[in-house]
Amino acid sequence: MPPTPHDPLRVGDKVVHPHNRELGPGIVEAIDRRRLAVHFPRTGDTLQFAAQGHPFLPLTLPEGADPECWYEDYGGDIVECLARRDTDRLDAFAPRLRALELLHARESGGLGSFLGGRIEIFPHQLHVAERAAAGDPVRWLLSDEVGLGKTVEACLVLNHLLRTDRAEHALIVAPSALVVQWLGELYRKFHQVFVLMDDHRRRDVVKEQGASFNPFEVHRLSIVALEDLVRDSSLARLAAASKPDLLVVDEAHHLRRREGTPGTPAYRAVAPIAQAARHALLLSATPLEADAQGFFRLLQLLRPDDYPSWEEFRDALDHGRPLAPCTSATRRVDIGGFPPRVPCPIEVAPLASRELTDREDPRLIALAREARDWVRRDEKSLVFVRNRDALTLLKRELEFHLSRRVAVFHEDLSPARRDLEVAHFADPKGPPILIATECGGEGRNFQFARRLVLFDLPWNPVLVEQRIGRLDRINRRAPVEIVYFRPADGFEASVARLYERLRIFEEPLGGLDRALGHVEEAIRNTADKRGAELDLDAMVEETDRLRGRVHQAAYHHLHAGAYEPTMAPGILERIPSDLEKRTERVVLEACRQFGFHTDPKPDPATWYIEFGDRATVETLHGVTTGHRWLGTFNRAEAVRREGVDFFAAGHTLVEAILREAVDSARGRTVLLSIPGTGFAGTGVIAIRRDQGRLMLYARDLNGKDCPHWGDFIRALPAGTHDVPAAAWNIDDWEARARTALREMALPGPPDALVGVTFTG
């Protein structure tokens, strides 16, 4: 069998690059410890490559090749291997064929290319991701309602662009409270390893590479906090100078620019990066109906040519002209709604002050009493408090009354510690209660919790909505219990009554956060005036007017190609039903061929796989001897059990095996005999990936195209067997095979070639 990639090379070796065969054959000109130089005579280029893990295949030249013009005589090493009967066994070819079929299923124009993540499948998310990724460049505003999974949609698009080689350099910008969550979501759900571009990482780049290196070019998959870009303008300039292939901005409504101003610091930091990036995704839950100018500014960042001025945009809205196809604004009603919010007020005595100051606080006494029942029923509860002092007191008192550890989430914890506290809380055997300050109210997901406890009521209704939104999310199955305290009288009682009348505890605000400043302002102004009372009627009337506009969806019809509930069945039907089974078959077949240890475990659909010392391959791309995995090929199991690997697109093992299967020399050529077809014939079949499609070209040795032969190669029916070279007694085989392949006029080099004889 010919050598596989990554074998040592020597100066003078003739080679071919398996991924860039258009370069033609090359010759190794120089090698040192880190780099090798390869000259490609056809193009005249000499290119540098890493010496370790190089992808080159040794070049096999036909007999009698001209030593001076050897590269002109090269017709493709795989062609010569087949012609000279330098072929493999069926058990090497079959895994290659199955791997090519799997790549076709998941990378073709269908939905397979979006299905690698450890996520529950929702049709509206696939619809949005597919529409966004269809454009080139991808410049899209994700503005679905809160809780519908904008982050997942962004990750679907990002993952698709990276896996289909449309992007290599991606930068994610998010509020500092969310950067670690993004890192975790990308790794746990989509097998993507990004680095956090914090001060520590940037110092490492300077130390290892030198001060002249751009850290965003050194780490081409990175996440940076929006606050860091604002604080350090040189960092923002470096991000723009790196010209990322893809920019993703979470909570993009922070990017504000009023007419005639340069914009907020956040806007000024991000705008140049958005202009420099080829692809860009902006995430914001603020609907067009609630803040048309803010929406316009985001569209202008994405598509400046389509949105030159606010006046033109306003005129377009007034006359009902559709938006350019670069937005998605799915609503809860479009997917059938969510489980209801259930208000659970607890009557308490009047509060002495807003602050919680001692263990005699009536809210604390009531909470400790209720929490005993919640813990006894094994239910998770998320408690929000205003500040650290209240959090510390609550934690101490609840742990005393419950004799259980209580998890915490606050701004003084490191990002890693916050992530750990959330993970412990999510564990069914972990703490039953997590207490969070306001920093846990944006971006974090706690939909597994049974209830939300609002220990205090913020004077900003948007903060209340953010807190509730941590539980009221798309993959929730049960109603959300919203526990709050209703004092008998006093100013806090008025705030509670206001929020009840605003129906915040019953239905979402629908992205009205930018339009409810009047409520917070009125509450604060009234609180500063001793004896003053809130004008509940006026605030409720104004809020209802704004909410009514959003509910009417005055501009919703202007979003081109918006998701509709009737689309769901058609989208689900397009999902390859056997994708998980195909992946399992390909991976396990290849693992056994490579000598890996594979062992099914008693847990449902779980496998133990080990790259041990008995393996027949020394290395796989990104994997070395000694690696072991416990995982599943089943999506439902992977979603249910985040502690095991999900063997799907993007997983290290899956990608390494597919790369080895289709890029190595193993199984590239085979001679097959196929009985039981009802006809006889001999010829060649070429298999080639072409822009996501798997194409099979068949031609007999008499020059006739035989497209139906491909069906038998795909099926490999019973009785199919490989034929040893010595037994392949076909008259003038070499010349006739070369002629047949040449007359196919393939658009590029094949991924596999088959010499086939049908025996009737």
Side-chain angles (χ1 to χ4, degrees):
M1 182 181 298
T4 60
H6 319 313
D7 286 345
L9 293 177
R10 295 171 297 183
V11 173
D13 282 354
K14 296 179 176 63
V15 295
V16 64
H17 197 295
H19 313 307
N20 296 286
R21 291 177 184 266
E22 66 277 4
L23 293 170
I27 184 168
V28 179
E29 288 195 337
I31 302 178
D32 61 28
R33 185 169 60 87
R34 298 179 60 188
R35 311 291 291 176
L36 61 89
V38 180
H39 178 67
F40 298 92
R42 283 186 184 171
T43 64
D45 296 323
T46 299
L47 304 179
Q48 302 288 324
F49 299 88
Q52 297 296 320
H54 68 81
F56 286 101
L57 297 170
L59 178 61
T60 304
L61 295 177
E63 295 180 9
D66 187 329
E68 298 296 325
C69 300
W70 57 273
Y71 52 89
E72 295 294 350
D73 292 338
Y74 169 71
D77 58 315
I78 187 173
V79 173
E80 296 306 320
C81 285
L82 183 68
R84 297 197 312 272
R85 306 177 182 84
D86 182 8
T87 55
D88 273 319
R89 299 286 305 274
L90 175 59
D91 59 6
F93 167 75
R96 186 183 193 88
L97 175 63
R98 300 304 175 218
L100 289 168
E101 290 178 327
L102 177 60
L103 287 170
H104 164 66
R106 74 179 204 179
E107 294 179 1
S108 65
L111 293 174
S113 58
F114 294 96
L115 299 177
R118 186 201 298 264
I119 57 171
E120 188 174 351
I121 299 298
F122 291 103
H124 77 278
Q125 293 175 347
L126 293 179
H127 173 75
V128 169
E130 188 176 31
R131 288 191 63 236
D136 193 24
V138 175
R139 310 281 293 185
W140 202 269
L141 174 56
L142 298 165
S143 58
D144 296 355
E145 279 188 0
V146 172
L148 291 182
K150 291 184 296 297
T151 302
V152 169
E153 292 170 353
C155 287
L156 287 171
V157 176
L158 177 149
N159 207 39
H160 172 87
L161 294 178
L162 292 176
R163 280 178 37 207
T164 55
D165 297 325
R166 293 174 62 190
E168 293 181 354
H169 178 191
L171 173 63
I172 297 172
V173 178
S176 58
L178 303 181
V179 291
V180 172
Q181 181 178 340
W182 267 95
L183 288 170
E185 292 280 295
L186 285 163
Y187 178 72
R188 288 192 301 266
K189 293 184 177 179
F190 293 91
H191 315 295
Q192 295 288 356
V193 179
F194 277 62
V195 302
L196 177 58
M197 195 60 68
D198 55 8
D199 291 338
H200 177 75
R201 180 72 64 174
R202 298 197 294 274
R203 286 195 297 268
D204 283 347
V205 171
V206 172
K207 180 179 178 180
E208 296 170 5
Q209 306 288 343
S212 63
F213 279 78
N214 187 330
F216 295 103
E217 292 179 352
V218 174
H219 298 288
R220 296 178 68 79
L221 298 178
S222 58
I223 298 177
V224 67
L226 176 61
E227 293 87 340
D228 286 354
L229 295 178
V230 171
R231 173 177 53 84
D232 185 351
S233 60
S234 65
L235 183 65
R237 287 194 295 270
L238 287 171
S242 72
K243 296 183 178 179
D245 298 324
L246 170 64
L247 171 69
V248 179
V249 183
D250 196 7
E251 305 292 340
H253 48 266
H254 292 304
L255 312 181
R256 304 187 183 103
R257 181 166 79 87
R258 292 295 179 188
E259 191 71 27
T261 72
T264 62
Y267 183 95
R268 297 197 302 272
V270 173
I273 310 174
Q275 293 164 4
R278 175 170 178 77
H279 308 293
L281 296 173
L282 305 182
L283 286 66
S284 175
T286 302
L288 174 57
E289 287 82 0
D291 184 13
Q293 187 174 88
F295 206 89
F296 160 72
R297 292 302 179 191
L298 297 182
L299 292 176
Q300 196 176 45
L301 273 180
L302 293 172
R303 308 277 285 266
D305 292 340
D306 291 328
Y307 299 99
S309 74
W310 163 245
E311 290 75 19
E312 290 182 44
F313 181 72
R314 181 76 257 180
D315 183 71
L317 293 183
D318 292 341
H319 290 85
R321 292 196 291 272
L323 302 172
C326 63
T327 66
S328 51
T330 312
R331 303 162 301 171
R332 295 182 177 212
V333 66
D334 296 330
I335 65 167
F338 285 13
R341 298 180 177 186
V342 180
C344 299
I346 297 178
E347 305 284 350
V348 294
L351 304 181
S353 71
R354 290 202 77 211
E355 304 301 326
L356 174 58
T357 56
D358 57 49
R359 58 192 306 179
E360 300 304 318
D361 188 300
R363 295 170 298 178
L364 177 55
I365 296 171
L367 178 59
R369 180 183 65 246
E370 297 291 333
R372 281 192 287 268
D373 290 336
W374 301 338
V375 172
R376 187 165 51 249
R377 296 196 296 267
D378 200 25
E379 297 170 346
K380 299 279 186 178
S381 302
L382 173 65
V383 180
F384 269 105
V385 296
R386 180 178 297 111
N387 56 46
R388 278 291 313 283
D389 290 341
L391 180 147
T392 301
L393 177 60
L394 269 181
K395 175 178 170 63
R396 184 178 71 238
E397 291 300 310
L398 288 178
E399 287 182 337
F400 173 77
H401 286 283
L402 302 177
S403 299
R404 293 283 300 275
R405 178 178 178 267
V406 170
V408 293
F409 189 103
H410 55 76
E411 51 278 350
D412 293 335
L413 294 178
S414 68
R417 183 64 191 179
R418 294 182 205 175
D419 237 23
L420 190 60
E421 289 289 293
V422 171
H424 287 164
F425 180 49
D427 186 338
K429 297 181 181 179
I433 293 175
L434 182 142
I435 309 173
T437 57
E438 217 62 68
C439 70
E442 188 176 66
R444 290 284 176 170
N445 300 331
F446 299 96
Q447 65 272 8
F448 54 85
R450 182 71 179 88
R451 69 184 50 79
L452 173 73
V453 179
L454 298 167
F455 192 79
D456 49 62
L457 290 178
W459 288 350
N460 182 352
V462 174
L463 296 182
V464 179
E465 178 63 31
Q466 285 181 353
R467 292 177 175 187
I468 298 173
R470 299 310 94 214
L471 279 69
D472 191 13
R473 308 192 66 79
I474 186 170
N475 45 1
R476 185 175 184 86
R477 300 291 183 264
V480 181
E481 289 186 10
I482 302 173
V483 177
Y484 60 99
F485 299 94
R486 185 194 290 155
D489 55 44
F491 187 74
E492 295 299 320
S494 297
V495 174
R497 288 198 301 274
L498 171 62
Y499 289 162
E500 288 173 340
R501 291 189 59 184
L502 292 177
R503 303 192 303 282
I504 292 178
F505 305 132
E506 301 174 36
E507 61 179 283
L509 288 173
L512 290 176
D513 53 332
R514 301 279 293 280
L516 290 183
H518 67 286
V519 175
E520 181 182 11
E521 182 180 6
I523 293 175
R524 292 190 179 280
N525 289 340
T526 305
D528 291 339
K529 299 175 183 177
R530 182 180 298 275
E533 294 187 2
L534 290 171
D535 188 346
L536 302 187
D537 292 338
M539 286 185 284
V540 170
E541 181 180 353
E542 174 65 8
T543 303
D544 283 348
R545 184 186 66 80
L546 294 170
R547 180 183 262 141
R549 183 170 179 81
V550 172
H551 283 186
Q552 291 168 10
Y555 301 131
H556 192 71
H557 65 288
L558 302 182
H559 295 278
Y563 176 80
E564 298 178 4
T566 55
M567 296 177 176
I571 293 172
L572 295 175
E573 286 174 4
R574 294 174 51 218
I575 296 176
S577 59
D578 61 347
L579 190 61
E580 294 168 18
K581 285 297 183 183
R582 282 193 186 188
T583 305
E584 182 174 7
R585 177 182 179 183
V586 168
V587 171
L588 293 179
E589 222 176 57
C591 284
R592 289 159 185 155
Q593 185 186 66
F594 299 161
F596 286 20
H597 175 68
T598 60
D599 183 26
K601 307 306 289 183
D603 293 325
T606 306
W607 285 85
Y608 172 80
I609 301 175
E610 182 179 358
F611 185 178
D613 55 10
R614 295 186 179 182
T616 59
V617 293
E618 293 185 3
T619 62
L620 292 175
H621 181 72
V623 180
T624 57
T625 305
H627 274 251
R628 56 183 63 89
W629 301 266
L630 180 67
T632 180
F633 296 91
N634 183 279
R635 177 179 303 277
E637 278 298 303
V639 171
R640 187 178 70 86
R641 302 166 59 204
E642 282 201 356
V644 302
D645 283 54
F646 182 31
F647 298 134
H651 186 275
T652 302
L653 175 64
V654 174
E655 297 308 307
I657 281 178
L658 288 176
R659 180 166 180 169
E660 179 72 13
V662 303
D663 290 343
S664 73
R666 183 184 291 103
R668 289 189 304 155
T669 56
V670 68
L671 301 173
L672 296 181
S673 175
I674 303 180
T677 61
F679 63 91
T682 300
V684 293
I685 298 176
I687 304 172
R688 171 179 162 76
R689 284 180 294 165
D690 186 9
Q691 297 181 346
R693 299 173 300 167
L694 185 63
M695 308 299 292
L696 275 71
Y697 305 83
R699 195 173 183 88
D700 69 16
L701 297 185
N702 296 319
K704 178 184 177 182
D705 289 330
C706 304
H708 61 287
W709 286 9
D711 296 335
F712 296 99
I713 292 298
R714 288 180 184 272
L716 293 176
T720 300
H721 63 276
D722 51 65
V723 181
W728 190 256
N729 299 316
I730 307 297
D731 291 342
D732 201 16
W733 164 253
E734 289 193 27
R736 296 171 73 188
R738 290 192 185 103
T739 299
L741 288 167
R742 184 174 62 252
E743 291 177 348
M744 283 181 182
L746 299 177
D751 291 285
L753 289 178
V754 181
V756 62
T757 180
F758 295 94
T759 60

